[in-house]
Amino acid sequence: MRTEQRSGHRHFASCLALAGLIAALGACAKDKAPVDASTPEAFGDRDWTIGFSNASETNTWRTALRESIESEVAKYDNVELLITDANDSPAKQVSDMEDLLTKGVDGLIIGAANLYVANPILDECEKEGIPVVIVDRKVSSEKYDTFVSTDHMYGAVRGLTKLMELIGGKGKIAILEGLPGAGPAVERNAGYDEVLEKYPEVEAVRQAGDWSRASGQRVMENIITAHPDLDGIHFDNGEMAVGGIQALRAAGITDDMMRASRPCLTWLDGYNGGLKMIKAGLGKYTILHPPRLHGSLSVTSMIQIFRGETVPMRQPIALDEITRENVDQFVAMDEPDDFWTR
């Protein structure tokens, strides 16, 4: 990758001035005027650099997101990609994003470690006219061009509501939550709160993991030891669900018991290992959260911005609900658990 520093955003501003559009730069990033395709800034007439600040690759969803972004950028001969991995450290992600700006990126894709980590960088990007795409994880500021994500709260409400329906609206359940403080976990937990308020006859035990298989196994071991009488379990993602199933087996809960919903299992996302568990009848329900669609849409949105096209402020991705009846449309039985089909 190139190490030469460019100030692409300043060059961008000067060309807009030549096109008579300099006044538009006073607007915020999401309202700035498009590039005039008749100027030297026409998309195909120059090289562009996109920076991707990834919160982490501690779970396979985020690895698939990065792979998808790489694949989509590779379609353009005049676009370079710089990637950083914050390893779930907000302090490191701030440093990563500052470094990407120093290297002169023309646009920034951010998968934020928490709700607030991107705010100072978004202020700087707004000031400098650098477009920003936020992907998957919500941020508290709205100083970006577009937000590409599924509706995490809706997915959580649908997933937990399905578990409630399956257990008859009463009993004891466990909820294995996602990474504390991360945008999706905050939104999903709010959804879980909403559902639980509607089911007063349900007792819920809630503990957080970090969306990895190891954390799903560890948290499930703790919960099942203290609460062996669970009627249902909801996992915040499929990777934790696979780890949780390993812990349940170790605790003496057989596959036949899980098939008979003792306990009943539901979760979120399309992790291939989890889809295999649904096909086997161990899990009853999941709802898609597709990393590859997130990645490709993030890049195509940035290219649209580079071309001077308008992008919507929010781009929600449709959520497919998956059960044993339709899982064959989504699962890849000949691929490893960590493979993401969408």
Side-chain angles (χ1 to χ4, degrees):
M1 294 188 175
R2 278 188 289 116
T3 57
E4 175 188 0
Q5 295 184 5
R6 277 187 303 111
S7 184
H9 48 279
R10 286 190 288 272
H11 184 44
F12 174 66
S14 65
C15 288
L16 282 175
L18 293 174
L21 298 173
I22 189 66
L25 287 175
C28 64
K30 56 180 175 288
D31 295 326
K32 61 180 177 289
V35 177
D36 184 343
S38 66
T39 73
E41 288 295 331
F43 176 73
D45 292 344
R46 56 160 287 192
D47 292 333
W48 303 82
T49 301
I50 296 174
F52 172 43
S53 173
N54 198 355
S56 73
E57 290 201 21
T58 53
N59 63 77
T60 61
W61 194 99
R62 303 207 65 79
T63 299
L65 173 68
R66 185 258 302 158
E67 291 172 348
S68 176
I69 288 173
E70 289 176 319
S71 296
E72 194 65 36
V73 169
K75 297 177 182 178
Y76 302 92
D77 292 337
N78 62 330
V79 181
E80 183 183 8
L81 179 65
L82 304 179
I83 301 173
T84 60
D85 176 0
N87 197 30
D88 282 324
S89 166
K92 185 177 186 304
Q93 187 162 34
V94 170
S95 176
D96 287 345
M97 291 185 288
E98 289 173 344
D99 184 57
L100 289 170
L101 293 189
T102 299
K103 290 178 177 176
V105 296
D106 300 292
L108 195 58
I109 299 173
I110 301 173
N114 63 33
L115 286 168
Y116 309 102
V117 67
N119 289 3
I121 299 300
L122 292 176
D123 289 342
E124 179 66 17
C125 288
E126 180 189 55
K127 194 180 307 179
E128 299 290 346
I130 301 171
V132 177
V133 174
I134 301 296
V135 59
D136 178 43
R137 297 186 177 185
K138 185 178 180 180
V139 295
S140 62
S141 169
E142 292 198 346
K143 294 181 179 180
Y144 52 78
D145 289 74
T146 189
F147 177 33
V148 174
S149 183
T150 54
D151 186 331
H152 290 287
M153 185 170 178
Y154 171 82
V157 169
R158 287 295 305 131
L160 189 57
T161 297
K162 185 65 175 181
L163 179 61
M164 298 301 191
E165 293 169 354
L166 290 168
I167 66 171
K170 59 184 178 180
K172 180 188 281 190
I173 68 167
I175 302 174
L176 278 70
E177 301 171 354
L179 183 68
V186 172
E187 294 176 78
R188 292 175 185 179
N189 289 349
Y192 299 147
D193 292 342
E194 180 179 300
V195 174
L196 290 172
E197 288 179 1
K198 299 176 182 177
Y199 292 89
E201 294 185 72
V202 171
E203 176 187 352
V205 178
R206 301 171 67 168
Q207 291 188 29
D210 62 10
W211 294 311
S212 69
R213 183 184 295 205
S215 77
Q217 183 171 0
R218 180 182 66 253
V219 175
M220 192 72 259
E221 286 171 351
N222 294 338
I223 291 176
I224 201 65
T225 299
H227 305 276
D229 55 341
L230 295 172
D231 298 293
I233 304 168
H234 179 76
F235 300 88
D236 209 56
N237 79 341
E239 195 164 349
M240 284 201 298
V242 172
I245 287 170
Q246 292 173 328
L248 292 172
R249 286 168 171 164
I253 297 174
T254 66
D255 287 7
D256 283 342
M257 291 170 68
M258 286 182 268
R259 289 190 184 97
S261 295
R262 304 194 313 270
C264 183
L265 309 181
T266 61
W267 54 81
L268 305 181
D269 83 26
Y271 177 66
N272 199 45
L275 297 181
K276 292 177 182 178
M277 295 296 100
I278 288 178
K279 184 173 176 63
L282 307 187
K284 304 304 179 184
Y285 174 94
T286 189
I287 188 164
L288 203 65
H289 178 50
R292 299 192 189 281
L293 292 179
H294 279 72
S296 60
L297 183 54
S298 296
V299 174
T300 55
S301 297
M302 187 64 77
I303 299 301
Q304 284 181 277
I305 296 168
F306 288 165
R307 292 183 188 277
E309 300 170 14
T310 301
V311 294
M313 186 76 174
R314 288 174 177 80
Q315 299 190 68
I317 293 174
L319 295 166
D320 292 294
E321 300 185 40
I322 304 170
T323 64
R324 195 175 186 185
E325 284 67 37
N326 68 346
V327 69
D328 286 338
Q329 301 173 31
F330 303 93
V331 67
M333 294 301 295
D334 56 345
E335 296 289 349
D337 286 358
D338 290 348
F339 181 76
W340 292 81
T341 59
R342 303 190 184 194

